[in-house]
Structures are given as C-alpha cells and as structure tokens.
Amino acid sequence: MSKKLDRRKKYTRKVLKESLVTLLSQKTISKITVKELCEMADVNRSTFYTHYSDQYDLLEKIEEEIAEDMNQYLSSYSFNVEEESLQMTEKLLEYIKDRQFMFQTLLNENGDPTFEVRLRTIAQRFMINNWLEGQQLKEVDMTYLSTFVVSGAVHVIKEWIEYDVDVKQSPKEMAELINKFANEGLSCLE
C-alpha cells in the first residue's frame, strides 16, 4: 500500500510541476493561480496544498530539484585538469539541452530571477575553478572575473536555448565557443 501511495505522490508532484512550467511559458508566476494549476494538472486544491503552500513554493521546489540534479549530474564526471573546463561546460550544455523546454521557461522573462542566480552559482563552481588556478589575482579580482565570465556564459546559453538547439551549435561546439571567449576574450576576434 505504501508503494502505491508513493507512486501517487510522485505522479501528483510531477503533473503539478509540468503544469506550472507550461503556465510559466505563457505568463509570470504572479499571474498563475493555484486553481488554474490544479485544473491543468487535474488534481484537487486540497491535494495541491498537501504538497505545496502556493505556486511560489512549487516553483522553488522545481528550482531546488533542478539545481540538486544538475550538481549530481556534473559531480558524476571526472576529467583531467587540462580539459576540465571544456568538458564540464559541454556536460552542462548537454544537461540543459536535454531539458530545453524547462530551461527556456525558467530562464525567460516569466521565470524567477533567482533561478538564473542558482544556475550562475553552479556554473561558477564547475566551470571557473580551473580557469583561475595558478592565476596571480587577488581574491576579490577572482570573484569579479568569475562573475563576469559566468554571467556572459549564462547569457550565451540563454540565447542558445531560446531557439531550437539542434539547428544551432551542438553542446560540444557551444562549449568550445564559451571556453574560447572566456580564455581569449576579445582577442579571439583578431
């Protein structure tokens, strides 16, 4: 009986998450009601409130789940130091490509700006560490540099996923481009 209940809970949470993401692709979180979510997910309002306090709580849980999943996904890989940033960037882009609609929605103007901050933090942790290894920069300069590089990378990724990623560059090509920009800056245009 317990397994059946667990499956129902998982299913309910899944359809509520999918419904919220679908609605977020059309309008801001402040314009989405619990009633509307429940109608789309075909669940009772009382069932909704068993799992979440409101639509903002649901959105936060979705973002936390993605951040945790992304951290686990990226942590499952080990790379040699020379190729770490390129390969880690490629793995991050593959992860995003596989969940393109979710990322398009959460990073669009209707999404929660804190999700982009979470994404930048994860990217900073996984992409920047070896770029800065051995650099003779003060800690505050490293912080500014990593913020600059990762913010640029996140905006490039947003541009990339805004359209059909299969038509544009592959995750490998985008990883090479992002790393080229990060490592060479404007000098890569010469």
Side-chain angles (χ1 to χ4, degrees), residues 113-131:
T114 60
F115 181 70
E116 186 173 324
V117 172
R118 285 182 191 200
L119 183 61
R120 281 198 319 257
T121 302
I122 292 168
Q124 220 163 348
R125 187 170 137 232
F126 284 99
M127 291 167 51
I128 287 296
N129 288 340
N130 84 320
W131 287 343

Side-chain angles (χ1 to χ4, degrees), residues 4 44 60 74 83 90 106 111 130 138 141 150 156 188:
K4 187 175 181 179
N44 242 310
E60 185 176 331
L74 293 173
E83 294 294 315
E90 183 178 350
L106 294 176
N130 84 320
K138 293 184 277 184
D141 291 345
V150 170
V156 168
C188 74

Side-chain angles (χ1 to χ4, degrees), residues 67 79 108 142 184:
F79 306 107
N108 77 14
M142 280 195 212
E184 299 174 29

Side-chain angles (χ1 to χ4, degrees), residues 3 9 35 50 64 67 75 78 92-93 117 123 126 140 174:
K3 285 187 179 187
K9 281 183 179 179
K35 179 182 178 191
T50 301
E64 287 171 2
S75 296
S78 62
L92 176 66
L93 291 168
V117 172
F126 284 99
V140 69
M174 286 304 297

Side-chain angles (χ1 to χ4, degrees), residues 45-182:
R45 283 174 59 110
S46 61
T47 302
F48 176 89
Y49 288 117
T50 301
H51 299 280
Y52 307 103
S53 59
D54 57 21
Q55 69 272 33
Y56 297 98
D57 181 39
L58 173 55
L59 179 57
E60 185 176 331
K61 297 293 190 280
I62 291 170
E63 292 172 353
E64 287 171 2
E65 190 177 290
I66 289 172
E68 185 178 314
D69 187 51
M70 188 183 305
N71 273 317
Q72 287 177 351
Y73 174 80
L74 293 173
S75 296
S76 69
Y77 293 96
S78 62
F79 306 107
N80 62 33
V81 174
E82 298 82 40
E83 294 294 315
E84 183 180 32
S85 68
L86 178 61
Q87 292 173 332
M88 193 60 75
T89 305
E90 183 178 350
K91 290 298 175 194
L92 176 66
L93 291 168
E94 287 171 1
Y95 181 90
I96 291 169
K97 180 184 179 203
D98 291 343
R99 295 151 185 84
Q100 182 179 354
F101 180 70
M102 175 76 72
F103 278 92
Q104 278 176 328
T105 302
L106 294 176
L107 291 172
N108 77 14
E109 65 275 359
N110 294 335
D112 180 8
T114 60
F115 181 70
E116 186 173 324
V117 172
R118 285 182 191 200
L119 183 61
R120 281 198 319 257
T121 302
I122 292 168
Q124 220 163 348
R125 187 170 137 232
F126 284 99
M127 291 167 51
I128 287 296
N129 288 340
N130 84 320
W131 287 343
L132 299 178
E133 255 179 45
Q135 298 296 320
Q136 301 299 318
L137 292 172
K138 293 184 277 184
E139 188 173 329
V140 69
D141 291 345
M142 280 195 212
T143 301
Y144 290 138
L145 176 60
S146 65
T147 299
F148 179 79
V149 170
V150 170
S151 293
V154 166
H155 286 282
V156 168
I157 292 168
K158 284 172 68 172
E159 180 77 21
W160 179 63
I161 63 170
E162 182 62 30
Y163 306 101
D164 186 1
V165 294
D166 292 321
V167 174
K168 289 185 158 201
Q169 292 85 356
S170 69
K172 181 179 174 72
E173 292 168 322
M174 286 304 297
E176 290 169 352
L177 188 62
I178 289 169
N179 280 333
K180 183 177 180 179
F181 291 160

